[in-house]
Amino acid sequence: MPEFTVIIPARYEASRLPGKVLLDLVGKPVIAHVIERALASGAKVVVASDDVRIAEAVTSLNVEVVMTRADHQSGTDRIAEAVEILKLPDDAVIVNVQGDEPDMPPELIRQMAEALSERKTLNMCTACAPMDDSAMLDDPNVVKVVRDAEEMALYFSRAEIAFNRDGNDGGETSFPYRRHLGIYAYRAAYLKAFSATPMCALEKTEKLEQLRALYNGDKIYCPDAIKAPGVGIDTEADIVRARQNWEAK
């Protein structure tokens, strides 16, 4: 089991659901569930936030809190600042677990750390899963990914990719559509370099920061998740659904 650090970027002013990481989910804040899952993966866990309310909510949860700037455009940029503050070595493996993913499997977190540790020439990996609902194809909130023969990402999009010109007949020739899961692992040196790289037109258009890596010629290993996460919290409907799911467990 490689040593690795999970950094959870958590801001209060989320555009669609402000304060979502502090919403109650079966008796504790959403981010508390995220932290528990991250600790169960065997990682050292750090929360990177710009808001004292979040810092105060997690002080008793056996994690380090790093206060970061409020002007970051993405969670990756926030993590890059945390890496600098923590003075982590360049070869450190960092796993980015979003603060709004209370049902993130510890097994998947470990999978990301192990995948990067085993592939010394790579600097970044993420995960995907087969789509189990055709409605996801038309949903721009579900990010799709296509890969090459070595499970390296070719492209990510909010649109349907690959486009099935002849229609999806559901048989053996049907395209194996995959959704991207928002978890990443990076080497610390690469993370800092990535954050310092300007956004590209693809990233600005799709609003997907991983396209910056592909645009600049970097490889992203994207295996199937050994276990996919449950509901992430982006909207009021998500927190209602998450509460229903957790109460039914």
Side-chain angles (χ1 to χ4, degrees):
M1 182 67 191
E3 290 187 2
F4 66 101
T5 300
V6 167
I7 301 183
I8 302 171
R11 67 189 183 110
Y12 190 89
E13 296 300 334
S15 57
R16 284 183 287 180
L17 188 59
K20 62 183 178 179
V21 299
L22 297 182
L23 292 176
D24 180 79
L25 180 58
V26 293
K28 62 183 74 171
V30 166
I31 194 170
H33 293 281
V34 180
I35 289 169
E36 288 176 359
R37 297 304 183 93
L39 288 170
S41 75
K44 174 186 176 181
V45 180
V46 177
V47 172
S49 183
D50 61 351
D51 196 286
V52 68
R53 288 168 289 188
I54 294 173
E56 290 174 348
V58 304
T59 52
S60 64
L61 299 177
N62 196 31
V63 294
E64 185 171 354
V65 179
V66 172
M67 299 306 296
T68 55
R69 302 197 318 269
D71 60 347
H72 289 303
Q73 296 299 307
S74 70
T76 302
D77 293 331
R78 191 174 306 283
I79 289 173
E81 184 189 355
V83 166
E84 294 274 17
I85 293 170
L86 294 165
K87 295 182 170 56
L88 296 178
D90 284 349
D91 61 350
V93 172
I94 312 298
V95 180
N96 174 350
V97 177
Q98 297 296 322
D100 57 5
E101 292 278 358
D103 206 12
M104 179 62 67
E107 304 96 314
L108 177 54
I109 299 172
R110 285 195 298 270
Q111 180 187 5
M112 292 293 94
E114 290 170 353
L116 198 60
S117 296
E118 292 166 0
R119 292 163 178 80
K120 303 301 184 184
T121 61
L122 290 178
N123 289 309
M124 182 176 180
C125 71
T126 186
C128 62
M131 286 195 192
D132 52 12
D133 183 353
S134 60
M136 291 181 176
L137 282 175
D138 297 321
D139 186 347
N141 295 312
V142 177
V143 178
K144 296 83 179 174
V145 60
V146 289
R147 309 178 297 177
D148 67 14
E150 303 298 323
E151 297 186 334
M152 299 295 176
L154 293 170
Y155 192 67
F156 299 86
S157 182
R158 297 184 182 278
E160 176 185 338
I161 54 170
F163 179 75
N164 193 328
R165 189 193 69 172
D166 296 328
N168 195 339
D169 61 10
E172 292 182 359
T173 60
S174 297
F175 186 77
Y177 289 100
R178 281 178 165 78
R179 62 187 176 101
H180 175 233
L181 306 176
I183 183 171
Y184 298 92
Y186 325 83
R187 297 191 200 285
Y190 175 78
L191 178 60
K192 290 184 285 187
F194 175 85
S195 182
T197 302
M199 294 174 64
C200 66
L202 290 174
E203 177 183 1
K204 292 177 182 178
T205 300
E206 294 259 23
K207 299 297 187 289
L208 298 173
E209 61 187 318
Q210 63 269 39
L211 292 176
R212 189 188 323 175
L214 296 183
Y215 180 81
N216 287 291
D218 296 322
K219 295 281 191 180
I220 304 177
Y221 180 51
C222 187
D224 284 340
I226 58 175
K227 185 177 182 181
V231 177
I233 311 300
D234 285 316
T235 65
E236 287 281 2
D238 291 334
I239 190 64
V240 170
R241 186 155 52 104
R243 286 168 178 159
Q244 292 171 342
N245 292 346
W246 282 69
E247 288 167 359
K249 289 182 180 180

